[in-house]
Structures are given as structure tokens and as C-alpha cells.
Amino acid sequence: MANFRSGRVGEQMKKELSQLIQTEIKDPRIGFITVTGVDVTNDLSQAKVYLSVMGNEEQKEQSMKALEKASGFLRSEIGKRIRLRHTPELLFKIDSSIEYGSHIEKLLGEIRDRDNN
């Protein structure tokens, strides 16, 4: 039962965070960010927010710093929108799976090209 609730809360948080980051956060350091997932602990005390951040390493770092600064606002808004008594602490993590997948595709393409020649 607890796993179902934490999963449901995570999906709702993902939806709300995506909207908040795109429309409410006006920090110029935030680049193109996509919320790829949210894992909430069973006791709803913490939420790991996985983000795909476009740009070079410095741009990614600046975006993450801006999100950390806005985490109080985001947490407050999430609590209001989802109507949670205790809103989970937000822990932001970069999700590099899209970049990794792209790199693997490139390598596979090079192998296919080599085998065809």
C-alpha cells in the first residue's frame, strides 16, 4: 500500500514540478530542463527528482544551483498543489540516461558502418 501511494505521489510531483520549473521559476541560470522521474520514499520524507539538463557542464551546474536555491519555493508549491500534509524534501539529481543512450546509438552506428564496408 505504501509503495502504491509513494509512486502515485511521485508521478503527481513529476507533473507539477515540470510545470513549475517551466512557468514559475524565472532564474536566468536555468536552462532547458526536463523532469524525467521522481522517486519518493515510502514515508514521503524525501523525493529524488531526476532531471535531464541540456548544455555543457558549467550550464548544468548553474541550472542545478538555481534549482537548489528555488527548492523551498518548489516544495511549498508542491505541498499546496498536491495537498500534502508533509511535503517531501527535494533532492535534485542529473539523469544522464538520454545522453548515454545517444552515445550508445552513435557507437552502434559506427559499428554498423564498419561492418557494411
Side-chain angles (χ1 to χ4, degrees):
M1 179 81 162
N3 288 338
F4 175 73
R5 181 165 188 243
S6 63
R8 190 179 58 182
V9 169
E11 283 301 312
Q12 189 66 29
M13 286 182 70
K14 177 182 171 186
K15 177 180 156 189
E16 296 297 338
L17 280 168
S18 294
Q19 185 178 14
L20 284 167
I21 290 170
Q22 290 177 4
T23 61
E24 300 294 324
I25 306 293
K26 303 298 183 198
D27 194 318
R29 296 177 294 174
I30 293 181
F32 185 74
I33 294 176
T34 303
V35 179
T36 59
V38 177
D39 288 337
V40 181
T41 57
N42 289 338
D43 63 356
L44 303 180
S45 64
Q46 292 185 335
K48 288 183 183 173
V49 181
Y50 295 97
L51 306 162
S52 175
V53 183
M54 296 301 193
N56 61 34
E57 289 304 314
E58 183 180 339
Q59 291 168 328
K60 288 179 183 182
E61 186 178 314
Q62 291 301 315
S63 291
M64 294 302 284
K65 284 180 181 178
L67 282 175
E68 290 294 333
K69 183 177 179 190
S71 65
F73 168 76
L74 292 171
R75 188 175 178 189
S76 172
E77 286 298 309
I78 291 288
K80 291 175 192 173
R81 292 178 180 211
I82 303 179
R83 296 185 187 140
L84 294 172
R85 187 175 302 158
H86 301 286
T87 307
E89 176 186 359
L90 302 176
L91 305 170
F92 298 105
K93 305 281 183 186
I94 291 183
D95 179 4
S96 59
S97 62
I98 294 172
E99 292 172 6
Y100 183 72
S102 175
H103 177 68
I104 295 297
E105 276 296 318
K106 179 182 171 191
L107 292 175
L108 290 173
E110 289 174 3
I111 291 170
R112 276 188 232 113
D113 289 345
R114 231 181 323 161
D115 287 348
N116 288 337
N117 291 332

